[in-house]
Amino acid sequence: MLFWIIAAALVAVIALLFALALWRGREDDDMAPAASYDVQVYRDQLRDLDRDVERGVTSREEAERAKLEISRRMLEADRKAQAGSDLSMAPKAATIALVIGGAVIFGGAFWLYGRIGAEGYEDQPLAMRFQNADKLYDSRPSQEEAEKMAKARQLDQPQSDPKFAELMQRLRDAVAKNPNDPKGLELLARNEAAMGNFDAAWKAQQRLVALKGDQASADDYAQLGELMVVAAGGLITSEAEKTFASALQKDPKNGLSLYYVGLMMAQNARGDRAFRIWDGLLRNSENSDPWVPMIRQNINELAWLAGESDYTPPMPRGVGPSQADIAAAADMTPAERQQMIRGMVEQLNDRLAQEGGSADDWARLISSLRMIGEVDRADAVYGEAKGKFASRPEDLAKIDAAHKAPAGKALQDEGGAPAAPAQAAPMMPGPTAEQMKDAASMSPEDRQQMIQGMVDGLFDRLTTEGGTPAEWARVISSLATLGEVDRAKEAWGEAQQALADDPDALAQVQLAAQRAGVAE
């Protein structure tokens, strides 16, 4: 209420100032009648002078001098009368404008405050917000307290099937008789969760983790933490947090644990930290990972809280053709293969137009369009991408490198190398159609030997004779895929030396090296 009293007082003061300004304007308007009266007096004096001359009271010379002085005063009075007339008209228009403008300003201010204001909410500097977040973090309820609150809010659960309930009771009895059976504990935890008994589920999982000891995996800890979170009604307690920390000690890249740690940061008013964690997780997740939809649904809001006003969520890995798709392409005719590749490019184009994407995605689309010969479309996409990433020099370098990729005349020449799928970045030459058909008919061992031979040959040629940026990128990606990380790092080092004088080409190779995990 105090706020509204202060606001009303301020409005009244400002309105009073406006009224005083208008009142002063009206006082100035009083000059107009006085000046008009003076003009009339001076006219009467001129007529009196003429009469005095006729009666001989005043000489003609004195009358002329008096007329000059009276005329001068009459002109000055007339000027004031005209000025007063102008002033008398101006405040009327000004008054209307001020009344309308004041109503709009004050009405708009109160409307806006009613929409987004918070009455009685004190100012919160950044340091105070961090302090409040720490208090919120420290005051979290325990696992037991959180479960009690969750049960109080929980609706009545539907009755389970009597046969399933009987089987569950048998399972519980069997585990009670043999508490050190890991298989029994695993089944018990899974089925208790299926029945909605999450408290019993996480306790069974906890006994399983304790039974495994040092052999317990990061996934075992992550599943335990998830069951604890569900039992607590979605709240991540300090006990669950310690469980996820144990999982991340065993595997710092455990996706489920990273997701819940990020969620914990968001729950405790640290959306900036949650964004950093989820952004990194999204970049390293497969599209099929269960946490990906939830992250993509909320990460834009977290990005805004973290100060990333123009953030575009990256696409998870695994978006693109599968190995089965690539193998099937070997049996296609050139026309069918062209249609498949064009479809991939169009899918990527549609996704970027509707959902946006990272700089890598835009670079893939640009290089893909150039590779299939659609240079005009590539140029148009390049112009749009430059506008999106103008404030990010590193991302803009990727876009520029893709725009400088060689342009093809068509998707492929008859019998030539097919254009790389839109999922690959940067676009690199691949095996010929004949090589793909031969590889499809080989045994796995022979196919592996053939691929290894091609990669070794390319590696030897590049390290001795050099080659194009696409070839360097191809050999680095291939070696990393084959598990030869040290040789991939060696190839990246050789590429840095060979392409040191060409920053654009080096950026293209660096992108492939980063994707292969051999460059920062």
Side-chain angles (χ1 to χ4, degrees), residues 312-489:
T312 301
M315 289 303 298
R317 296 180 304 182
V319 180
S322 64
Q323 293 297 324
D325 294 331
I326 296 174
D331 299 325
M332 293 180 179
T333 64
E336 291 172 338
R337 193 156 46 245
Q338 288 179 13
Q339 184 177 1
M340 181 193 74
I341 295 172
R342 184 175 293 280
M344 292 177 184
V345 175
E346 293 301 332
Q347 287 178 3
L348 178 60
N349 180 75
D350 293 342
R351 177 170 61 78
L352 291 181
Q354 296 173 5
E355 305 175 10
S358 65
D360 294 336
D361 296 327
W362 285 92
R364 279 199 295 272
L365 178 60
I366 293 168
S367 57
S368 299
L369 289 171
R370 291 183 61 81
M371 185 67 70
I372 64 177
E374 297 194 17
V375 179
D376 291 340
R377 283 184 66 192
D379 291 342
V381 174
Y382 172 65
E384 183 179 355
K386 283 187 67 177
K388 288 182 175 292
F389 299 99
S391 59
R392 301 182 184 181
E394 294 183 0
D395 290 339
L396 193 58
K398 299 176 184 178
I399 302 297
D400 290 336
H403 186 246
K404 295 176 181 178
K409 290 184 287 187
L411 283 172
Q412 70 174 43
D413 295 330
E414 184 69 24
Q423 175 261 352
M427 301 296 289
M428 297 174 291
T432 63
E434 289 74 18
Q435 288 173 326
M436 292 179 67
K437 289 181 180 180
D438 292 340
S441 61
M442 291 180 179
S443 66
E445 293 78 9
D446 291 339
R447 184 159 55 249
Q448 181 72 13
Q449 184 176 0
M450 182 194 75
I451 295 173
Q452 185 72 54
M454 290 191 295
V455 173
D456 289 342
L458 179 60
F459 177 82
D460 293 338
R461 178 171 64 80
L462 291 177
T463 53
T464 55
E465 303 174 7
T468 65
E471 290 175 325
W472 281 109
R474 180 186 179 190
V475 75
I476 292 171
S477 301
S478 300
L479 288 170
T481 302
L482 293 172
E484 297 184 23
V485 179
D486 290 337
R487 292 183 70 194
K489 291 181 179 178

Side-chain angles (χ1 to χ4, degrees), residues 493-513:
E494 294 285 347
Q496 288 177 287
Q497 296 181 8
L499 303 174
D501 297 330
D502 191 348
D504 293 335
L506 188 60
Q508 183 179 350
V509 181
Q510 184 179 9
L511 181 60

